[in-house]
């Protein structure tokens, strides 16, 4: 079953039919219904109205998400959703409903809700609208003109979050102030055009995560320190650090340029020497030495600037640590507000007193209840000794022969003498490697004597 999420997963640039719901090509009757205009009011037929709106509203938003654009126009959507030469007649009504629900916002209204004075080209591109648009708003006509730019609110928030994370993970985040041109270069991926980039910055400014200032004809952007922190206004320290950073970049570019010039002078001296032009070679070497001295001087200035910046970054880190310590001390003071040594000693004494009381109660309960019976331990021991003495005096009734104990209930066993046993042994003979009794031997069974 088709859903906006599934449709948004399909990459842009493929077959348009493959990016649209299945009924787009399979159900002519339904598509004819969906391409027809809305009724004047939802009250006429709420079922048809909701069916069309449930189809087109998610499709418009998912189309924008798939294309990666935050700016929509009715004309662009009509071209994107053409089918067999026909355009959806109800797209304007769909956009009006999305505007009413706050999922879309007019670009001009969005600009007016944020301080966009730093955008030098904002009046010409964003705020200037045709006269008929202004008249229609004054007269209360809320129709969406075909050329009016609308902003997908949720998608713009997502892009703003993406840009903020991109900045935080870049080397530019070493200091909260960055040049607008450098930030624009960094954000080419999520912001493919200049308008989208400025809209994203305005969204971040609306969320109080960035602030923009124009300094000496150049715009600088200051970011909030943390993802949940609010940005502070640009102060003199921020401007000074930004100027130092610009000086560092300028000196680095100058050093690189002079290094290339020194290498060029060296090559010219080598070629002149090979050609036998000694004076020209000497002039080239002198120029190389002068350039190298300039490079050394610039290196010294660059080291100074970098050292100052390092100290500033270290001081900022120290300030953060100091603030953390200060906050920790404040929290500890609050937690120990009502705790004193005297109260702690009193509490320990109370605990010891309760423990002593508990021990006394336990000992009392361990004594038990006698139920009126009082036993004398000495008398009990004497009685036990008498019982033991009586037991030792009684003779034990044991049999003379222990074996008789086991055969008292069996048949009596006849006794056989040693002479009879020897006679029986003489009558035995060896046969087949074993002892076999003779035919005349008595049949009486031999029983072992123990």
């Amino acid at each position: 079953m088709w859903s906006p999420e599934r449709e948004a997963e399909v990459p842009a640039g493929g077959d348009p039919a493959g990016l649209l719901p299945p009924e787009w090509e399979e159900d002519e009757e339904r598509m004819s219904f969906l391409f027809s205009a809305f009724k004047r009011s939802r009250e006429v037929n709420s079922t048809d109205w909701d069916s069309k709106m449930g189809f087109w509203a998610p499709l418009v938003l998912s189309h924008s998400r798939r294309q990666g654009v935050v700016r929509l126009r009715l004309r662009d959507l009509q071209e994107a959703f053409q089918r067999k030469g026909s355009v959806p007649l109800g797209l304007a009504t769909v956009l009006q409903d999305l505007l009413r629900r706050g999922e879309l916002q007019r670009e001009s209204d969005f600009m007016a809700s944020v301080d966009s004075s730093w955008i030098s080209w904002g009046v010409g591109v964003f705020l200037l609208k045709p006269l008929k648009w202004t008249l229609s708003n004054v007269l209360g006509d809320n129709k969406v003109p075909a050329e009016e730019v609308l902003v997908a609110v949720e998608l713009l928030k997502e892009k703003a979050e993406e840009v903020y994370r991109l900045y935080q993970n870049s080397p530019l985040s070493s200091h909260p102030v960055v040049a607008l041109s450098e930030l624009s270069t960094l954000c080419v991926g999520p912001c493919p055009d200049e308008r989208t980039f400025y809209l994203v910055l305005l969204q971040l400014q609306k969320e109080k995560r960035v602030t923009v200032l124009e300094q000496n004809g150049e715009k600088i952007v200051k970011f909030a320190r943390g993802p949940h922190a609010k940005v502070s206004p640009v102060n003199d320290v921020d401007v000074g650090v930004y100027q130092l950073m610009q000086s560092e970049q300028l000196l680095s570019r100058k050093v690189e340029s002079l290094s290339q010039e020194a290498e060029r002078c060296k090559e010219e001296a080598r070629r002149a020497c090979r050609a036998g032009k000694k004076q020209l070679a000497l002039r080239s070497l002198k120029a190389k030495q002068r350039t190298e001295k300039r490079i050394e001087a610039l290196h010294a200035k660059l080291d100074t600037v970098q050292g100052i910046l390092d100290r500033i970054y270290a001081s900022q880190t120290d300030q953060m640590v100091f603030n953390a310590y200060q906050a920790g001390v404040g929290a500890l003071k609050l937690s120990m507000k009502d705790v004193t040594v005297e109260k702690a000693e009193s509490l320990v004494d109370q605990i010891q007193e309760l423990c002593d009381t508990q021990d006394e109660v336990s000992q009392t309960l361990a004594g038990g209840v006698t139920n009126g019976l009082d036993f004398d331990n000495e008398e009990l021991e004497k009685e036990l000794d008498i019982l033991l003495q009586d037991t030792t005096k009684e003779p034990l009734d044991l049999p003379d022969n222990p074996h008789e104990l086991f055969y008292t209930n069996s048949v009596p066993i006849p006794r056989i003498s040693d002479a009879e046993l020897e006679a029986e042994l003489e009558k035995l003979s060896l046969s087949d490697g074993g002892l076999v009794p003779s035919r005349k031997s008595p049949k009486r069974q031999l029983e072992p004597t123990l």
Side-chain angles (χ1 to χ4, degrees):
M1 183 176 181
W2 175 83
S3 64
E5 292 76 9
R6 178 183 176 186
E7 191 266 343
E9 293 176 356
V10 183
D15 182 9
L19 303 177
L20 298 170
E23 58 262 41
W24 191 272
E25 295 294 336
E26 299 173 359
D27 196 336
E28 288 291 336
E29 183 179 356
R30 175 160 174 76
M31 293 312 299
S32 298
F33 161 73
L34 293 173
F35 267 62
S36 62
F38 283 81
K39 302 296 182 182
R40 279 188 171 272
S41 174
R42 180 178 178 274
E43 296 176 356
V44 176
N45 191 334
S46 60
T47 303
D48 289 354
W49 181 286
D50 293 342
S51 178
K52 289 181 181 179
M53 194 63 68
F55 176 86
W56 285 112
L59 185 59
V60 168
L61 295 176
S62 61
H63 171 77
S64 302
R65 185 182 300 277
R66 185 184 67 249
Q67 298 295 331
V69 297
V70 298
R71 304 172 68 250
L72 311 176
R73 292 189 311 172
L74 176 58
R75 185 179 302 278
D76 297 333
L77 293 174
Q78 289 174 341
E79 293 178 358
F81 295 132
Q82 278 191 8
R83 181 179 183 271
K84 298 181 179 181
S86 301
V87 296
L89 300 179
L91 281 180
T93 305
V94 173
L95 297 181
Q96 289 175 15
D97 189 72
L98 291 173
L99 285 169
R100 180 184 58 81
R101 291 187 288 178
E103 298 185 51
L104 293 181
Q105 188 176 7
R106 287 182 171 86
E107 190 177 55
S108 57
D109 294 341
F110 177 77
M111 290 280 295
S113 66
V114 190
D115 179 16
S116 56
S117 58
W118 52 270
I119 301 181
S120 58
W121 45 273
V123 175
V125 177
F126 286 98
L127 300 182
L128 184 60
K129 300 186 293 184
L131 181 61
K132 62 179 182 180
W133 295 3
T134 305
L135 290 176
S136 64
N137 289 335
V138 171
L139 296 176
D141 185 4
N142 59 355
K143 290 184 179 179
V144 179
E147 299 295 335
E148 185 175 15
V149 178
L150 307 177
V151 177
V153 176
E154 193 62 31
L155 185 57
L156 181 61
K157 292 179 181 179
E158 293 176 4
K159 281 194 174 292
E161 180 66 27
E162 183 180 356
V163 166
Y164 185 82
R165 289 198 306 266
L166 185 64
Y167 164 77
Q168 291 292 336
N169 296 328
S170 70
L172 297 178
S173 62
S174 58
H175 191 269
V177 178
V178 61
L180 184 66
S181 56
E182 295 178 351
L183 184 63
S184 176
T185 304
L186 178 68
C187 300
V188 171
C191 303
D193 56 80
E194 190 177 28
R195 293 189 180 188
T196 301
F197 173 68
Y198 279 94
L199 285 174
V200 168
L201 272 187
L202 288 175
Q203 178 62 33
L204 289 172
Q205 184 177 342
K206 187 176 182 179
E207 298 173 358
K208 300 186 182 303
R209 302 170 80 177
V210 304
T211 183
V212 184
L213 177 69
E214 189 169 354
Q215 179 72 20
N216 297 328
E218 187 174 5
K219 299 179 182 67
I220 59 177
V221 182
K222 182 179 181 181
F223 280 81
R225 273 298 188 180
H228 303 292
K230 302 297 183 182
V231 64
S232 59
V234 179
N235 53 32
D236 294 338
V237 175
D238 296 325
V239 174
V241 171
Y242 173 75
Q243 291 175 347
L244 283 174
M245 293 171 61
Q246 294 299 109
S247 300
E248 180 188 16
Q249 295 178 3
L250 179 61
L251 289 173
S252 298
R253 290 194 296 266
K254 191 64 175 177
V255 167
E256 184 179 357
S257 175
L258 290 176
S259 299
Q260 295 176 358
E261 182 179 350
E263 189 65 25
R264 181 178 56 80
C265 293
K266 182 178 179 181
E267 291 296 327
E268 289 179 355
R270 183 180 290 112
R271 288 195 300 268
C273 185
R274 290 175 181 174
K277 300 177 182 180
K278 184 177 180 181
Q279 294 299 326
L280 181 59
L282 290 175
R283 284 198 298 271
S284 298
L285 288 177
K286 289 179 181 179
K288 173 180 173 294
Q289 291 178 356
R290 288 194 300 268
T291 303
E292 289 177 345
K293 289 181 180 180
R294 293 174 60 189
I295 291 175
E296 292 178 1
L298 290 177
H299 269 302
K301 296 178 181 179
L302 184 61
D303 291 341
T304 302
V305 172
Q306 290 176 343
I308 295 174
L309 286 174
D310 290 341
R311 288 180 178 273
I312 291 174
Y313 297 151
S315 66
Q316 292 175 347
T317 304
D318 294 341
Q319 182 65 37
M320 293 173 60
V321 174
F322 176 78
N323 292 337
Y325 285 170
Q326 196 171 22
V329 170
L332 187 59
K333 285 182 179 179
L334 289 176
S335 63
M336 299 289 292
K337 182 178 179 181
D338 298 328
V339 179
T340 61
V341 177
E342 292 77 8
K343 290 183 178 180
E345 291 177 350
S346 175
L347 182 62
V348 171
D349 293 340
Q350 293 178 18
I351 294 174
Q352 185 62 44
E353 184 178 354
L354 291 173
C355 291
D356 295 340
T357 303
Q358 184 183 16
D359 293 339
E360 293 178 0
V361 171
S362 299
Q363 292 177 2
T364 302
L365 295 176
V369 180
T370 59
N371 293 327
L373 298 178
D374 190 8
F375 298 99
D376 189 355
N377 292 333
E378 293 182 359
E379 293 182 359
L380 293 175
E381 290 180 0
K382 289 180 180 180
E383 185 175 355
L384 181 61
D385 291 337
I386 294 172
L387 291 175
L388 292 175
Q389 291 176 3
D390 294 341
T391 303
T392 53
K393 292 178 180 179
E394 293 179 0
L396 297 177
D397 187 11
L398 298 176
D400 295 336
N401 189 352
H403 297 286
E404 294 181 0
L405 180 64
F406 301 100
Y407 299 102
T408 54
N409 296 327
S410 61
V411 180
I413 301 174
R415 302 194 59 87
I416 303 175
S417 62
D418 294 339
E420 290 177 342
L421 289 175
E422 292 178 359
E424 289 291 337
L425 290 175
E426 291 178 357
K427 295 178 181 179
L428 297 176
S429 62
L430 295 173
S431 177
D432 296 333
L435 294 175
V436 180
S438 62
R439 296 178 180 272
K440 297 181 180 181
S441 61
K443 296 180 180 180
R444 182 174 52 182
Q445 183 179 1
L446 299 180
E447 293 293 339
T449 57
L450 299 177

